[in-house]
């Protein structure tokens, strides 16, 4: 059967198109590979190494104990207050002791020994010797009862009350003495005075 020329050309175009389509399809299916890409996000978490800081406990060392030897002070050779000097002077004479440590002039100590020599055979421990708590000399320049009072530029008068022991007839008889003391160094002068420990310069009974 003879086909018209126009039909033959149309068939060739159809066949050519089909071949081209099949070739294109084969080329795509044979060469193309599906690729699936999965992106894993980077881990942003980090684990820091734990650090434990252990501080050494603060220790305070106790200071070593030191033993200090007690300070020893030699006692004063004699009383230093004028009242103590006056009372000590009279008490030494009454007790029959040597009152020379309370004076600068040995004649004053000898006079005191004679003044109270009459109590040598009696009970010396029964005598009381003390500063009179009330007496104030009318011409004193300073001081109160119970104190030695200023008399003149360099001397003090201390009113010392001496009471004898009580007897069967009653209390002992008190006698008031003026004991004069000073701390003025007799080797110095009033223009350039120097001072020493108090000492007795004289004594006498106080009238009345």
């Amino acid at each position: 059967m003879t086909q018209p020329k126009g039909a033959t050309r149309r068939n060739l175009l159809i066949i050519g198109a089909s071949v081209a389509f099949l070739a294109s399809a084969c080329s795509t299916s044979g060469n193309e590979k599906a690729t699936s890409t999965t992106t894993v996000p980077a881990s942003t978490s980090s684990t820091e190494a734990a650090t434990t800081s252990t501080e050494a406990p603060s220790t305070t060392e106790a200071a070593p104990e030191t033993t200090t030897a007690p300070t020893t002070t030699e006692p004063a050779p004699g009383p230093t207050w004028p009242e103590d000097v006056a009372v000590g002077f009279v008490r030494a004479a009454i007790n029959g002791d040597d009152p020379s440590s309370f004076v600068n002039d040995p004649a004053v100590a000898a006079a005191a020994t004679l003044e109270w020599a009459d109590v040598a055979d009696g009970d010396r421990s029964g005598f009381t010797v003390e500063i009179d708590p009330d007496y104030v000399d009318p011409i004193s320049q300073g001081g109160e009862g119970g104190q030695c009072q200023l008399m003149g530029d360099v001397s003090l008068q201390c009113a010392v009350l001496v009471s004898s022991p009580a007897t069967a007839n009653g209390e002992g008889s008190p006698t008031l003495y003026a004991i004069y003391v000073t701390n003025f160094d007799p080797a110095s002068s009033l223009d350039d005075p120097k001072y020493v420990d108090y000492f007795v310069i004289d004594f006498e009974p106080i009238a009345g």
Side-chain angles (χ1 to χ4, degrees):
M1 179 174 178
T2 304
Q3 294 181 354
K5 295 181 179 178
T8 302
R9 185 177 298 153
R10 186 174 60 248
N11 292 335
L12 291 175
L13 290 174
I14 293 171
I15 293 171
S18 299
V19 172
F21 174 79
L22 292 173
S24 176
C26 292
S27 175
T28 301
S29 62
N31 295 329
E32 185 180 355
K33 294 181 179 180
T35 59
S36 175
T37 302
T38 302
T39 302
V40 180
S43 176
T44 58
S45 63
S46 62
T47 303
E48 297 180 356
T51 59
T52 303
S53 175
T54 304
E55 296 183 358
S58 176
T59 58
T60 303
E61 295 183 359
E65 295 183 0
T66 57
T67 303
T68 303
T71 302
T72 57
T73 303
E74 292 293 333
T80 55
W81 294 101
E83 292 83 4
D84 294 335
V85 170
V87 169
F89 168 74
V90 175
R91 184 174 288 131
I94 289 177
N95 290 339
D97 299 328
D98 185 4
S100 297
S101 61
F102 298 95
V103 303
N104 187 49
D105 183 357
V108 178
T113 299
L114 291 175
E115 177 70 22
W116 286 284
D118 59 339
V119 302
D121 297 332
D123 184 7
R124 297 176 181 180
S125 62
F127 279 81
T128 59
V129 182
E130 61 184 353
I131 296 291
D132 190 287
D134 302 317
Y135 181 80
V136 176
D137 194 285
I139 62 172
S140 70
Q141 300 171 12
E144 301 177 354
Q147 299 176 344
C148 294
Q149 299 155 33
L150 180 64
M151 305 289 288
D153 294 330
V154 297
S155 64
L156 300 173
Q157 174 185 280
C158 306
V160 176
L161 185 63
V162 179
S163 299
S164 59
T167 64
N169 296 328
E171 295 183 358
S173 175
T175 304
L176 191 61
Y177 286 88
I179 311 297
Y180 299 99
V181 302
T182 186
N183 65 344
F184 179 77
D185 186 351
S188 65
S189 65
L190 291 176
D191 295 333
D192 185 20
K194 294 180 175 59
Y195 299 96
V196 295
D197 290 339
Y198 283 100
F199 60 93
V200 176
I201 55 178
D202 201 1
F203 70 94
E204 64 180 351
I206 294 177

